Amino acid sequence: MYGQNGAGQEAGSDFSGGRKERSLLVRRSLIFTFLLGFFAHGFMLTHISISHDALFDFYDALSAHQHQIELGRVLEPLYRSLTDSGLLMPWSQGIIAFFWLGLAVFCVCDMFDLSCPTEIFLTAGIMTVNISVTAVAAAYTPWLSADMFALLLAVAGAYSWYLYGKDHSKKYLFPVCFR
């Protein structure tokens, strides 16, 4: 794909020359994700009423962790203690979730060489305003950021495999996939 200067250089191929383009891609990914997230899920971020499974988590944190472990989410208690997201504050859950989603949007856009603002906006829209994210935001607010982190890890796995395929360097097969 041609860069914005039209020189025929691939958008993510040169680490030094593409650093400015990658920085712009990260910024656009995060900005578009946050804007779309606030427009689509803004009500969830601003109301304090407890809904659906959040009641269970609000009243009994220990059994809520046990329930998450029984569902196979064994790292959920660790994630919530590391991010201090054990409290039910919808705005903080939303901000953390939109940050993870923005990074996932960046990975997807970089994998598919999407650099046009319209392409980034549409990718952010697909990943931010879909039925799965809306359902998690509406009904499972305490686990919104953890679920979006899981989405980021899934995309990061594909992204690291993509980077490995470009130059067959084993350093991309490890969890640190953001260069």
Side-chain angles (χ1 to χ4, degrees):
M1 177 173 220
Y2 289 97
Q4 291 186 359
N5 60 2
Q9 173 186 346
E10 284 191 27
S13 65
D14 185 20
F15 294 126
S16 60
R19 192 173 306 260
K20 192 180 286 187
E21 288 181 20
R22 292 173 62 78
S23 174
L24 185 62
L25 179 60
V26 169
R27 272 187 266 133
R28 285 180 176 164
S29 298
L30 289 171
I31 289 170
F32 291 151
T33 301
F34 272 85
L35 285 176
L36 289 167
F38 287 132
F39 284 129
H41 310 294
F43 179 73
M44 180 276 306
L45 300 176
T46 57
H47 78 89
I48 302 180
S49 64
I50 301 166
S51 62
H52 204 267
D53 281 0
L55 265 173
F56 181 68
D57 189 60
F58 185 72
Y59 286 111
D60 193 6
L62 183 62
S63 62
H65 286 312
Q66 185 63 32
H67 179 67
Q68 292 298 314
I69 292 170
E70 289 169 358
L71 290 173
R73 301 173 183 149
V74 294
L75 295 178
E76 188 267 343
L78 175 66
Y79 172 82
R80 291 181 80 180
S81 65
L82 289 176
T83 60
D84 205 20
S85 61
L87 297 175
L88 186 61
M89 295 181 289
W91 60 270
S92 65
Q93 292 288 332
I95 289 173
I96 294 170
F98 295 155
F99 178 72
W100 298 140
L101 271 172
L103 292 179
V105 168
F106 161 74
C107 290
V108 168
C109 288
D110 196 37
M111 274 194 297
F112 293 110
D113 291 327
L114 304 176
S115 59
C116 174
T118 306
E119 295 170 335
I120 300 168
F121 181 81
L122 291 174
T123 305
I126 290 168
M127 293 182 72
T128 306
V129 185
N130 63 52
I131 193 67
S132 297
V133 176
T134 302
V136 170
Y140 305 104
T141 308
W143 302 286
L144 175 65
S145 65
D147 289 347
M148 296 308 108
F149 185 67
L151 174 76
L152 171 64
L153 290 179
V155 171
Y159 185 63
S160 64
W161 193 253
Y162 163 77
L163 292 175
Y164 171 75
K166 284 176 84 172
D167 64 356
H168 298 292
S169 175
K170 294 195 188 305
K171 68 182 178 182
Y172 296 124
L173 293 180
F174 296 104
V176 180
C177 68
F178 301 106
R179 44 190 159 111

